[in-house]
């Protein structure tokens, strides 16, 4: 969970072109358990080191009258930096004919777990230890991929971190007015195929709730698309702007 909250935060500022500088965490619970706090901070520290982001402080709170037993509130705050001239704002720079390239997620990341829990309650026997492990894989950071694109002088027209609101809503937020996406057919990744089949979830609902296998979407010109796929070989063309 510590890795989740840092990597999610890194990605949220990354889509504007900002690189992380420092991070603060907050851990609140009914009764403080030092082992739980230790593992949370260990995860935060691990991801901060990978992102070359300094963990400069944090806060813990024990509030038995506020939080239920074995329930926690985990919060993170990140500060990053980007030159004003290099801020990425897809609403200003995404153009018709731009290509959407998706970079795979490590799983559901940090979204859709209310639906996952409901599916689990109805079909607990379907959730093998392997499936549960996949669902609990930490949120992936895309800082390395971003650095590769920048270092190779790719002109990024827009970036989209697929989080709350799922696949469809997040992408629509970065589009200029009067533009739409023509999507290429693509399959959900195996873990999402499992959730859809086990829970009987429609395609529309899947794309509303989950990242469906792609945690970051990069918008580039058709001329740069081939270069991006060479730089990030796991990338996949998801569609086009029109």
């Amino acid at each position: 969970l510590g890795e989740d909250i840092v990597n999610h935060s890194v990605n949220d500022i990354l889509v504007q072109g900002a690189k992380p500088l420092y991070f603060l965490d907050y851990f609140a619970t009914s009764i403080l358990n030092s082992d739980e706090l230790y593992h949370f901070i260990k995860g935060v520290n691990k991801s901060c080191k990978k992102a070359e982001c300094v963990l400069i402080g944090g806060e813990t709170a024990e509030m038995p009258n506020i939080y239920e037993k074995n329930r926690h509130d985990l919060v993170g705050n990140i500060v990053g930096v980007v030159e004003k001239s290099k801020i990425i704002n897809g609403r200003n720079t995404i153009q018709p004919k731009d290509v959407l390239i998706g970079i795979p997620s490590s799983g559901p990341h940090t979204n859709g777990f209310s639906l996952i829990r409901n599916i689990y309650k109805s079909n607990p026997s379907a959730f093998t230890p392997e499936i549960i492990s996949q669902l609990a894989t930490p949120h992936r950071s895309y800082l390395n991929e971003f650095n590769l694109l920048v270092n190779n002088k790719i002109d990024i027209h827009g970036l989209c971190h697929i989080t709350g609101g799922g696949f469809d809503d997040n992408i629509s937020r970065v589009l200029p007015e009067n533009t739409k996406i023509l999507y290429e057919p693509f399959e959900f990744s195996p873990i999402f195929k499992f959730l859809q089949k086990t829970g009987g979830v429609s395609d529309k609902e899947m794309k509303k709730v989950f990242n469906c296998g792609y945690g970051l979407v990069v918008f580039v010109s058709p001329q740069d698309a081939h270069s991006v796929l060479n730089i990030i070989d796991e990338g996949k063309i998801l569609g086009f702007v029109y």
Side-chain angles (χ1 to χ4, degrees), residues 27-165:
F27 184 99
T29 186
S30 55
I31 299 175
L32 199 60
N33 180 309
S34 59
D35 284 342
E36 292 174 343
L37 179 60
Y38 167 78
H39 286 291
F40 172 67
I41 299 300
K42 186 177 180 181
V44 169
N45 195 44
K46 178 181 178 181
S47 285
C48 279
K49 281 185 175 180
K50 285 184 178 179
E52 297 183 350
C53 176
V54 182
L55 177 59
I56 62 171
E59 174 72 18
T60 57
E62 189 175 70
M63 296 184 282
N65 294 326
I66 302 298
Y67 295 102
E68 295 180 16
K69 186 179 179 181
N70 296 322
R71 294 292 184 269
H72 309 80
D73 191 14
L74 312 177
V75 183
N77 176 277
I78 196 166
V79 173
V81 62
V82 57
E83 293 290 341
K84 189 174 183 179
S85 62
K86 295 182 179 179
I87 292 174
I88 298 171
N89 183 347
R91 287 189 174 272
N92 294 335
T93 50
I94 291 173
Q95 303 171 13
K97 298 184 181 179
D98 276 355
V99 181
L100 284 71
I101 297 177
I103 305 177
S105 62
S106 57
H109 285 178
T110 47
N111 291 101
F113 281 89
S114 295
L115 178 54
I116 291 171
R117 283 191 292 271
N118 284 335
I119 296 171
Y120 174 80
K121 287 176 183 177
S122 301
N123 307 273
S125 61
F127 286 73
T128 64
E130 181 183 2
I131 291 292
I132 292 172
S133 178
Q134 288 183 52
L135 293 171
T137 301
H139 196 121
R140 177 176 174 177
S141 166
Y142 295 98
L143 181 59
N144 288 339
E145 288 73 21
F146 174 80
N147 287 336
L148 280 172
L149 296 177
V150 171
N151 292 339
N152 281 276
K153 296 183 169 41
I154 297 297
D155 183 16
I156 300 171
H157 289 183
L159 287 172
C160 184
H161 182 205
I162 311 297
T163 56

